[in-house]
Amino acid sequence: MNRQALLCRNILEYPQITQRELARVMDMSLGSVNRLLKECMDQGLAAPADTGHYRVTSRGMELLEQYRVDKAVIIAAGFGSRFVPLTFETPKGLLEVFGERMIERQIRQLHEAGITDITIVVGYLKEKFEYLIDQYGVKLLYNSEYSSKNTLATIYHARKLFEEGNCYLLSSDNWMRENMYHTYECGSWYSCVYQQGETSEWCLSFNKKGKILDVQIGGRDSWVMYGPVFLRREWSRYFLPVLEAYYLLPGTEQFYWERVYLELADGTALKRLTEAGIRELHGISLKEFGPESGHLDLYINRQPSDQVYEFENLEELRLFDPRYQNHSDNEAMELVSRVFQVPEAEIRHISCLKSGMTNKSFLFSVADRRYICRIPGPGTELLINRQQEADVYEAVRPLDITEHVLYFNRDNGYKVSEYYEGARNCRADDPSDMRKCMSLIRRVHQARLKVSHRFDIRERINFYENLCQTHGGIPFEDYARVKQRMTELMDGLDRLGRPETLSHIDSVADNFLFLPDGSLRLIDWEYSGMCDPLIDVAMCCIYSYYNEEQTDWLIETYLERMPDKDERLTVYSYMALGGFLWTLWAVYKSAVGEEFGEYTLIMYRYAKDYYRKIQKL
């Protein structure tokens, strides 16, 4: 930290500042400021102005120029799971605090300091940030890995920006009471606040000059990393090669970028890189990246307790901005308020359960009881008929085997249901669990319930095939041949003319809930319809990744006897067709941004392998 430059900057920004005020602003003793001021005047960097005031000379301005802030990078890629359901609709950084969006407040503060070269790294709901280009002249940088990796990957994708100049690194969801940005910054720093008592934040130890000496995750009564960061070009020159090496190392996918700095500070980084066979980075010996080299000195920027805010969840935001007590302007919160006839402030302990392309769900409490609210995702109306789903819940109600649904909207699919404390999912590798699940499925089928719609697997395959063809195509080389084979299987099932009853279709082990009282529930009936009941056995097998031996055992368990040839043929056919159907489903999901890893390959193998087994039968 260049204290001469820092003194000049403060004189420039506060022309009427006194020595005593300089001491306060610079967090130095009055005596130290007097000595520093004399030093700067002796070197021609500063000169007396009015009585008791000072000015920066042309030589001082030359010194300051190398410390000019060139740009700012704002991280805004993440989902913000602790702010559901608000972040189901709006990225966290675009939430308002006292009527002003958090990211806009920071952009305005940066502009006030003369910093207009601003890049926002986006990911989740990236389109929501597009308006900022026109309104504030910012640039957007898309991080394609936002959903699977942490901020280490975010900085990796933005690394060129830090190489190009002195740069602020900000989070879109921070709120600063006063503008803490400057035209000039005289050393690399991390904002910090003092936290009393136990904390899980990153705790700092530092010397008298404010240079960080050590970082520990968690501690007590400590200054902690909190809020904005400033990185000089020279600092980034040594930090970024290490971050790039970390990005390529396995096991670092969920690292924060600060983890790299922490391990540089305590020597772990050099050990980790050496063990990975790395001896130099960008032609520079590893020892140049150690804490003793001085290249990566980072200073604390101490802030008062009421200056920087990182809201951890919606309840913290409610305490800060009273508007969120009862008027969050969020459809899901307003719905829950109406269903339970309570103000929004009484909806507590909110947490994310699931965020996907089909449904999003969050857990909440009202009057010390817990519930789940399901929110259909964008485009769900293409995949699920909510009127039909509601009809299914009505049909199975007399069996008392589903989740307890308190509210269901037939038009948009919003659902509020009871949360079962202590419940667990079925274990597909536990024969006892699976016997009970098959018994429940058999009970559903034997009830011979009827609804007005069918689950037509031929229609569904054609539907998802069309979706895939309009979203980039189907990547399998032998798709046409496999599709022909699936058509043969569907024609064969039609010839069998087997009876139909209401079937669950989505009989994955996770949809069976074992309650603490020993009862069993079957949830999530959105794909259900009239179909051959053996489809539920087949779907359960492929969802559980069963092999042929396990499949034959499950068929016998469901039937409570040995199957005949047609029954085995039917289950195998639905396994092949189910694998093919869910392959198309996953290909479409991948095309619209949700990746399922090896699931697509596994399902495609079921389609091909069980076709061959059927040929042997």
Side-chain angles (χ1 to χ4, degrees):
M1 182 75 71
N2 188 314
R3 295 202 169 196
Q4 291 181 339
L6 186 60
L7 181 79
C8 290
R9 185 201 70 185
N10 287 320
I11 291 174
L12 186 67
E13 289 191 356
Y14 310 107
Q16 302 301 309
I17 199 167
T18 65
Q19 288 186 25
R20 191 170 298 279
E21 290 167 340
L22 276 170
R24 178 182 58 80
V25 169
M26 297 181 66
D27 195 19
M28 295 172 61
S29 69
L30 184 58
S32 296
V33 167
N34 286 337
R35 287 190 293 272
L36 180 61
L37 189 57
K38 183 178 184 304
E39 183 181 303
C40 287
M41 289 192 291
D42 289 344
Q43 295 181 22
L45 303 174
D50 302 331
T51 304
H53 301 124
Y54 305 88
R55 63 179 178 84
V56 179
T57 65
S58 58
R59 189 171 181 181
M61 293 302 299
E62 290 176 8
L63 171 67
L64 278 177
E65 194 55 35
Q66 64 182 296
Y67 297 103
R68 180 181 293 276
V69 180
D70 299 298
K71 60 186 63 185
V73 174
I74 304 177
I75 297 175
F79 167 52
S81 61
R82 289 176 292 186
F83 271 76
V84 297
L86 276 59
T87 47
F88 285 149
E89 303 171 359
T90 305
K92 187 178 173 185
L94 293 182
L95 295 179
E96 292 184 0
V97 177
F98 299 118
E100 181 180 30
R101 286 179 160 175
M102 286 188 279
I103 196 169
E104 289 194 32
R105 181 180 182 84
Q106 291 195 71
I107 293 171
R108 177 177 58 77
Q109 291 175 333
L110 287 166
H111 282 189
E112 288 173 359
I115 302 156
T116 56
D117 186 349
I118 302 169
T119 300
I120 304 172
V121 186
V122 297
Y124 173 70
L125 293 180
K126 58 187 182 298
E127 295 81 6
K128 294 281 189 177
F129 294 93
E130 198 276 339
Y131 80 98
L132 295 170
I133 298 174
D134 299 312
Q135 191 161 330
Y136 295 102
V138 304
K139 291 168 280 190
L140 302 186
L141 173 66
Y142 178 59
N143 171 17
S144 61
E145 298 182 300
Y146 76 91
S147 64
S148 60
K149 295 185 179 182
N150 217 317
T151 59
L152 187 158
T154 303
I155 303 304
Y156 174 83
H157 289 294
R159 63 193 184 282
K160 295 296 183 183
L161 299 172
F162 297 93
E163 294 172 355
E164 295 167 355
N166 302 325
C167 187
Y168 281 120
L169 173 56
L170 313 175
S171 294
S172 65
D173 55 3
N174 283 174
W175 189 89
M176 270 64 70
R177 187 178 299 279
E178 303 296 336
N179 192 343
M180 59 186 289
Y181 306 129
H182 302 277
T183 306
Y184 306 97
E185 292 286 359
C186 305
S188 298
W189 53 256
Y190 205 119
S191 169
C192 63
V193 300
Y194 189 78
Q195 291 199 353
Q196 291 185 320
E198 295 291 336
T199 178
S200 59
E201 298 286 349
W202 295 43
C203 301
L204 305 172
S205 61
F206 46 89
N207 64 18
K208 291 183 179 180
K209 292 185 177 181
K211 186 176 80 171
I212 297 172
L213 303 176
D214 185 46
V215 185
Q216 298 291 330
I217 301 177
R220 182 179 181 84
D221 299 334
S222 176
W223 287 92
V224 303
M225 289 177 157
Y226 210 76
V229 183
F230 174 74
L231 304 175
R232 291 201 70 213
R233 180 191 296 107
E234 292 80 4
W235 193 93
S236 298
R237 180 189 171 210
Y238 283 91
F239 179 73
L240 290 173
V242 182
L243 182 134
E244 290 174 9
Y246 264 60
Y247 174 83
L248 298 173
L249 292 176
T252 61
E253 293 80 8
Q254 298 308 314
F255 278 17
Y256 293 100
W257 75 264
E258 290 94 337
R259 174 73 176 270
V260 182
Y261 170 71
L262 181 154
E263 295 196 358
L264 279 167
D266 67 12
T268 303
L270 301 191
K271 181 181 178 182
R272 186 190 290 271
L273 295 175
T274 301
E275 290 175 349
I278 298 171
R279 296 292 179 268
E280 62 179 27
L281 295 169
H282 292 204
I284 303 173
S285 170
L286 276 189
K287 67 180 181 180
E288 291 298 308
F289 298 91
E292 66 284 347
S293 70
H295 295 308
L296 290 166
D297 288 350
L298 193 63
Y299 292 82
I300 62 168
N301 184 348
R302 282 180 278 203
Q303 297 295 316
S305 59
D306 63 347
Q307 163 63 4
V308 181
Y309 291 85
E310 293 182 0
F311 304 107
E312 292 296 321
N313 49 53
L314 177 56
E315 294 186 37
E316 279 193 11
L317 184 55
R318 282 173 171 172
L319 293 174
F320 190 74
D321 184 348
R323 191 202 90 180
Y324 286 95
Q325 290 284 341
N326 292 309
H327 300 287
S328 62
D329 295 329
N330 177 263
E331 186 175 0
M333 292 293 287
E334 292 171 357
L335 167 64
V336 171
S337 176
R338 291 197 306 271
V339 169
F340 291 92
Q341 296 185 326
V342 297
E344 287 188 27
E346 294 185 24
I347 305 169
R348 307 292 303 280
H349 309 120
I350 303 167
S351 61
C352 183
L353 281 183
K354 180 172 64 175
S355 176
M357 294 295 294
T358 304
N359 294 320
K360 304 170 183 179
S361 301
F362 66 95
L363 185 66
F364 64 93
S365 296
V366 172
D368 296 326
R369 296 196 64 178
R370 304 179 84 189
Y371 305 91
I372 299 170
C373 180
R374 182 191 72 184
I375 304 171
T380 304
E381 66 278 0
L382 292 175
L383 312 177
I384 305 294
N385 185 312
R386 298 302 180 183
Q387 298 279 352
Q388 293 177 354
E389 183 186 6
D391 290 343
V392 169
Y393 273 103
E394 286 297 324
V396 298
R397 186 192 298 269
L399 300 182
D400 191 28
I401 59 169
T402 72
E403 69 270 42
H404 179 206
V405 178
L406 289 82
Y407 171 87
F408 191 102
N409 189 311
R410 286 174 169 266
D411 296 322
N412 60 25
Y414 274 73
K415 180 176 71 171
V416 178
S417 56
E418 184 178 351
Y419 177 77
Y420 296 103
E421 297 284 355
R424 67 171 178 85
N425 301 113
C426 166
R427 294 183 285 254
D429 59 353
D430 185 330
S432 175
D433 275 10
M434 295 305 290
R435 287 191 188 94
K436 293 172 182 175
C437 292
M438 289 301 100
S439 176
L440 181 59
I441 282 287
R442 189 167 55 249
R443 180 184 166 200
V444 173
H445 297 160
Q446 290 175 347
R448 303 199 178 282
L449 302 172
K450 294 184 181 297
V451 291
S452 61
H453 64 277
R454 298 180 66 242
F455 180 83
D456 184 339
I457 200 163
R458 189 189 299 268
E459 181 274 332
R460 288 288 88 187
I461 285 174
N462 291 333
F463 172 76
Y464 278 112
E465 182 182 60
N466 289 334
L467 281 181
C468 292
Q469 297 291 12
T470 57
H471 287 80
I474 300 168
F476 296 99
E477 291 287 335
D478 58 353
Y479 176 78
R481 182 168 65 253
V482 175
K483 171 68 183 296
Q484 179 58 44
R485 291 174 174 176
M486 296 303 106
T487 301
E488 292 175 24
L489 296 183
M490 290 185 285
D491 291 344
L493 288 174
D494 289 345
R495 286 191 295 271
L496 286 176
R498 287 182 49 81
E500 293 186 343
T501 186
L502 179 61
S503 301
H504 187 275
I505 310 301
D506 196 20
S507 46
V508 59
D510 283 350
N511 282 337
F512 292 93
L513 291 185
F514 285 85
L515 275 52
D517 64 5
S519 62
L520 181 59
R521 300 272 165 175
L522 181 54
I523 64 173
D524 289 352
W525 293 72
E526 57 193 353
Y527 290 98
S528 302
M530 300 299 290
C531 196
D532 184 333
L534 289 180
I535 194 173
D536 282 341
V537 181
M539 293 299 185
C540 189
C541 288
I542 64 173
Y543 293 147
S544 303
Y545 295 175
Y546 274 6
N547 59 30
E548 186 174 356
E549 180 182 355
Q550 292 169 309
T551 294
D552 290 343
W553 175 84
L554 196 67
I555 298 171
E556 294 169 17
T557 300
Y558 168 80
L559 293 173
E560 296 184 303
R561 58 173 172 78
M562 293 293 292
D564 62 34
K565 183 178 178 180
D566 283 351
E567 288 168 335
R568 192 182 304 276
L569 178 69
T570 297
V571 173
Y572 282 13
S573 295
Y574 276 121
M575 289 178 68
L577 293 167
F580 190 71
L581 172 67
W582 302 127
T583 294
L584 293 172
W585 179 87
V587 168
Y588 165 66
K589 293 288 193 173
S590 177
V592 295
E594 188 173 13
E595 182 56 55
F596 287 87
E598 64 178 355
Y599 176 81
T600 312
L601 296 175
I602 293 171
M603 290 297 107
Y604 201 56
R605 288 315 312 175
Y606 272 113
K608 298 168 80 169
D609 290 347
Y610 275 81
Y611 173 83
R612 295 188 183 99
K613 294 181 189 298
I614 291 164
Q615 299 311 300
K616 292 180 181 179
L617 285 177

